[in-house]
Amino acid sequence: HKRYEEFYGAHLSDQIGWKIPQMYDAALDGRLKAMWIMGEDLAQTDPNTEHVKKALNSLEFLVVQEIFMSETAKFANVVLPGASFFEKSGTFTNGERRVQRVNEVIPPLAGTKTDGQIVVDIMNRMGIPQPDYTPDGVLAEIARVVPFFKGAVWEKLGDNGKQWPITEGCEGTEILHTETFKRGLGKFHF
């Protein structure tokens, strides 16, 4: 917590954030006033659809960042036109700890922006100056603040990515637990 506060020069809340189902309940009882949903169609895909719709209707302000007018976007006060996965570059980390590059195939359609650039634009408008979004810039920032991404470098991820922890020189770790477990031995219940 202290590390992130020092890195970003900002006070961070000590409260644990809500999971999505908790957000629905908080919206219904007035504790959650606004949401910003990016590329997820909660009103179409989450269980208990009527509960979800009721929660979305309970919000005072809903922003949906999406590539088309989804069921969730129909509830929005503002729809931010995002770009599809073909139109943006970045990284993702999958279940086997592999950090992989995604490369833009075509430029974003006129009037749309990548998710990262939309977030940067909003931050700038809120008085938090940010440079334009670049996938290598975001990865470099992550590498500076997340210890197990320390050696991650955009240009060196290669075609198949690297598995974290990524050490200096952008060397991945194929096998994570060779002699000990990072958090000690687990307790197994049959």
Side-chain angles (χ1 to χ4, degrees):
H1 196 91
K2 183 181 175 191
R3 175 190 187 114
Y4 290 109
E5 283 190 335
E6 289 173 358
F7 184 85
Y8 289 105
H11 170 71
L12 302 175
S13 172
D14 289 332
Q15 291 186 336
I16 296 172
W18 290 319
K19 294 175 180 71
I20 292 174
Q22 295 168 318
M23 290 181 195
Y24 299 145
D25 294 338
L28 287 168
D29 65 26
R31 292 177 293 135
L32 181 64
K33 306 288 184 194
M35 283 180 91
W36 179 353
I37 301 169
M38 287 188 209
E40 209 172 337
D41 193 3
L42 304 177
Q44 181 78 20
T45 61
D46 277 23
N48 197 349
T49 304
E50 292 309 311
H51 180 71
V52 173
K53 290 178 178 178
K54 196 177 203 181
L56 295 175
N57 272 326
S58 298
L59 295 167
E60 290 179 18
F61 189 64
L62 176 61
V63 176
V64 174
Q65 190 167 316
E66 187 56 273
I67 63 173
F68 57 88
M69 198 62 174
S70 66
E71 288 302 309
T72 302
K74 293 175 184 175
F75 289 88
N77 300 96
V78 175
V79 177
L80 301 174
S84 75
F85 70 97
F86 283 118
E87 302 167 312
K88 54 190 171 186
S89 296
T91 59
F92 69 91
T93 305
N94 69 17
E96 65 164 348
R97 308 178 342 271
R98 189 172 303 279
V99 180
Q100 292 178 276
R101 280 177 31 171
V102 177
N103 297 304
E104 175 186 291
V105 176
I106 58 174
L109 293 173
T112 68
K113 294 183 180 182
T114 64
D115 296 333
Q117 190 58 52
I118 291 172
V119 171
V120 163
D121 289 348
I122 297 295
M123 291 176 74
N124 284 326
R125 287 175 184 247
M126 293 177 74
I128 305 166
Q130 298 294 307
D132 280 346
Y133 167 83
T134 62
D136 55 323
V138 170
L139 185 59
E141 179 178 330
I142 291 169
R144 288 196 314 269
V145 294
V146 179
F148 52 86
F149 274 71
K150 186 177 184 176
V153 178
W154 174 261
E155 296 81 14
K156 294 183 178 181
L157 286 177
D159 291 337
N160 294 316
K162 306 287 180 176
Q163 289 173 284
W164 62 259
I166 301 173
T167 60
E168 295 294 332
C170 203
E171 293 298 323
T173 305
E174 281 190 31
I175 301 172
L176 185 59
H177 306 291
T178 55
E179 295 178 30
T180 63
F181 294 100
K182 297 288 181 197
R183 295 184 177 196
L185 295 176
K187 186 173 183 181
F188 179 77
H189 295 277
F190 182 71

